[in-house]
Amino acid sequence: MDIVTRDAHTISRRQISENALKVLYRLSKSGYKAYLVGGGVRDILLGMEPKDFDVVTNATPEEIKKLFRNSRLVGRRFRLAHIVFGRDVIEVATFRGHHGETNDKISKSNAEGRLLRDNVYGEIDEDAERRDFTINALYYDISDYSIHSYGGGIRDLDDRTIRLIGDPETRYREDPVRMLRAVRFATKLDMSIESKTAEPINALAPLLKDIPAARMYEEVLKLFFAGKAKANYDMMRDFGLFQPLFPQISALIKEQPNGNTAKMLNAVMTNTDLRVSQDKPVTPAFFYAALLWYPLKQRADDIALESGLSHYDAHVAAMGDVMEQQCRTISIPRRFSTPAKDIWQLQLRLERSQGTRAFKLLEHPKFRAAYDLLLLRGEAEGGNIGKIATWWKSFVEADETERSDIAKSSNKKGPSRNRNAHQRKRRRPKPKSDNSGSSEVKPTNKG
């Protein structure tokens, strides 16, 4: 452990949120040790603006709750206190300790070594050893404004290196999500992952399948909605971390590495990063609708072939199947899965609704998202879908007068159909039956 005194580092209390300081000072004045820890300290030292300020203390969760009326205790795997200041929440954790032979009631792991329950309390040195990466084992002491750096955290920060504390394989088995965190920190902070830290990832990537789907939903948001989606996607592919989270998509990419699915994913990731950089909204509904479009298309084709359903009915049936399978690894809340299905359903209408019918479709609340997906499909597929996307682009970007002209022109040419879609075959009319019920056609007597 290295101690960096107040005059040897750049952190100022002006850079720490007022509410985090309130929590730190109250804990300290009440006789407890209190530190700002992890990402808040790290980001300030790197000249970045922290998104969160986390506090660690030797007070137990119950003692913290007594001290702060505006607090609530959360977490099952590890008990935490959330101090609520309106919309601002300061997370306060008790120092974690080492596992001993006598703490089975408060610490439990499964056969693979993953921690299921971890309410083991200790001192700051033990807490530092229990943290994941050295760059997160940085503690700002509110009592004297010094920084306690463990495992060479300050040095790794200067060297721009992501390094795990302890044996990498053991630490990944304790919590496989650390593999995703290594990737996320590397891209977010523009750092490299130390070789020993990176080495076990490919072999241990399948452990992510055992992580609860609800937890993975939050991790995916951090990976793909913070402006580093493309970089995270590429690194996850390299380490084998994408397949356990998105098995349907990965199967299609394996079949056709340069096919439409791969093109779509690259386009979605790049587009998401662009929107984040421009402060435009990005939603999980559109993200998952775009990512899962080609698995949906393949499943709809399979259902149509197996059951004889129409293309539309097979498409609707496939939506539930594809979303259900994805939710086994990443739990997508219904408030996003339902709009994603609306976006999928609108693709069929966009393919057929050129001409005057296009005006009605413009009024649909999910039109813009569906239109954006159609444009991405046009880029990935080209061909007839590319032509349909080009028509819609000219229609959307035109003024009212121009739109009427475009629509009338399309009507004169006749309806444009997607040649890629399955068409219903017209049934031959059944021959008329005679009174006896026979369907045989009687020959005519030509003399």
Side-chain angles (χ1 to χ4, degrees):
M1 188 265 289
D2 300 317
I3 295 181
V4 184
T5 57
R6 174 64 189 90
D7 57 354
H9 66 75
T10 58
I11 293 182
S12 166
R13 278 167 288 172
R14 289 190 298 271
Q15 298 168 292
I16 303 172
S17 82
E18 181 181 350
N19 293 327
L21 287 173
K22 287 179 182 177
V23 172
L24 288 166
Y25 279 127
R26 183 177 295 185
L27 285 167
S28 181
K29 290 177 180 178
S30 300
Y32 299 107
K33 296 176 182 177
Y35 300 83
L36 188 68
V37 68
V41 181
R42 178 198 68 219
D43 290 351
I44 293 175
L45 290 173
L46 289 173
M48 302 168 65
E49 185 175 347
K51 289 187 177 180
D52 301 301
F53 292 95
D54 296 335
V55 172
V56 69
T57 178
N58 61 343
T60 65
E62 292 72 21
E63 290 171 332
I64 297 168
K65 186 164 180 60
K66 287 181 181 179
L67 202 58
F68 296 91
R69 291 183 179 178
N70 55 329
S71 66
R72 59 173 182 260
L73 300 186
V74 299
R76 297 178 63 184
R77 193 170 71 95
F78 186 76
R79 205 90 165 120
L80 301 167
H82 282 176
I83 316 298
V84 182
F85 298 90
R87 293 184 178 181
D88 189 18
V89 177
I90 306 299
E91 187 173 278
V92 184
T94 305
F95 291 140
R96 288 177 294 178
H98 291 306
H99 300 151
E101 296 180 359
T102 60
N103 53 29
D104 291 338
K105 294 182 179 180
I106 49 178
S107 174
K108 185 179 180 182
S109 60
N110 65 8
E112 287 75 30
R114 183 165 65 89
L115 289 175
L116 304 177
R117 191 167 59 245
D118 194 21
N119 292 314
V120 183
Y121 305 133
E123 298 297 327
I124 184 172
D125 293 349
E126 295 174 292
D127 186 83
E129 291 180 19
R130 295 293 316 285
R131 293 196 171 267
D132 47 13
F133 304 102
T134 59
I135 59 169
N136 291 335
L138 303 171
Y139 297 74
Y140 177 79
D141 189 344
I142 196 64
S143 66
D144 61 5
Y145 314 122
S146 64
I147 295 175
H148 294 211
S149 169
Y150 288 85
I154 291 287
R155 183 174 61 253
D156 286 341
L157 212 58
D158 293 337
D159 294 340
R160 309 198 75 78
T161 301
I162 307 294
R163 186 193 311 272
L164 266 172
I165 297 172
D167 175 62
E169 182 170 344
T170 302
R171 301 312 304 279
Y172 289 142
R173 287 188 180 278
E174 285 180 351
D175 186 0
V177 171
R178 286 175 179 145
M179 294 183 282
L180 296 178
R181 286 168 60 83
V183 168
R184 181 159 58 85
F185 289 140
T187 58
K188 174 186 176 180
L189 305 174
D190 193 22
M191 294 183 175
S192 59
I193 302 176
E194 184 249 351
S195 58
K196 289 183 179 179
T197 299
E199 185 179 359
I201 295 180
N202 281 96
L204 299 178
L207 293 176
L208 287 172
K209 295 177 182 177
D210 298 329
I211 300 299
R215 185 182 178 198
M216 290 312 312
Y217 171 75
E218 297 295 336
E219 291 299 325
V220 168
L221 290 183
K222 295 174 186 176
L223 284 163
F224 297 125
F225 285 63
K228 295 289 184 179
K230 182 63 168 64
N232 284 327
Y233 168 64
D234 290 340
M235 192 175 289
M236 288 172 70
R237 288 285 309 280
D238 291 340
F239 282 122
L241 296 169
F242 189 80
Q243 193 280 332
L245 304 186
F246 298 95
Q248 299 175 97
I249 300 170
S250 298
L252 290 181
I253 294 177
K254 188 176 181 180
E255 289 177 10
Q256 294 184 315
N258 298 314
N260 293 336
T261 306
K263 292 176 184 176
M264 174 66 83
L265 257 70
N266 284 314
V268 171
M269 300 303 175
T270 302
N271 179 264
T272 301
D273 287 342
L274 179 62
R275 293 184 69 85
V276 171
S277 68
Q278 296 174 344
D279 290 327
K280 292 182 179 179
V282 288
T283 69
F286 176 81
F287 181 79
Y288 284 105
L291 255 62
L292 295 169
W293 169 254
Y294 289 108
L296 170 71
K297 191 172 183 296
Q298 184 185 59
R299 181 61 184 144
D301 290 345
D302 291 344
I303 291 175
L305 188 64
E306 294 166 2
S307 65
L309 289 174
S310 69
H311 178 58
Y312 177 84
D313 291 339
H315 185 85
V316 172
M319 292 193 299
D321 290 354
V322 169
M323 192 61 73
E324 181 182 353
Q325 190 169 340
Q326 183 58 64
C327 285
R328 292 173 187 171
T329 55
I330 302 170
S331 180
I332 305 171
R334 188 169 296 179
R335 67 181 183 277
F336 298 124
S337 63
T338 299
K341 292 176 182 178
D342 291 339
I343 295 169
W344 284 339
Q345 204 161 8
L346 280 173
Q347 295 306 298
L348 301 184
R349 295 180 63 185
L350 285 168
E351 291 173 16
R352 296 172 177 271
S353 295
Q354 297 170 58
T356 52
R357 288 184 297 173
F359 286 100
K360 185 176 181 181
L361 204 53
L362 277 176
E363 300 172 1
H364 195 286
K366 291 292 179 290
F367 168 79
R368 189 71 203 192
Y371 165 71
D372 288 342
L373 176 54
L374 179 66
L375 295 184
L376 291 178
R377 291 175 59 204
E379 292 177 20
E381 297 178 38
N384 196 51
I385 289 295
K387 292 178 182 178
I388 293 173
T390 300
W391 186 92
W392 272 104
K393 191 172 190 295
S394 64
F395 183 78
V396 168
E397 294 179 353
D399 59 31
E400 290 299 323
T401 303
E402 291 172 333
R403 282 181 182 174
S404 296
D405 293 339
I406 293 171
K408 291 175 183 177
S409 175
S410 294
N411 282 340
K412 288 178 182 178
K413 292 178 182 178
S416 174
R417 289 180 177 268
N418 177 14
R419 294 176 183 175
N420 298 326
H422 298 281
Q423 302 295 327
R424 280 187 176 179
K425 292 183 179 180
R426 291 186 178 181
R427 295 181 179 178
R428 292 181 181 178
K430 292 182 178 180
K432 294 181 180 180
S433 302
D434 58 16
N435 293 335
S436 65
S438 171
S439 61
E440 184 180 351
V441 179
K442 295 180 180 180
T444 57
N445 184 3
K446 295 184 178 180

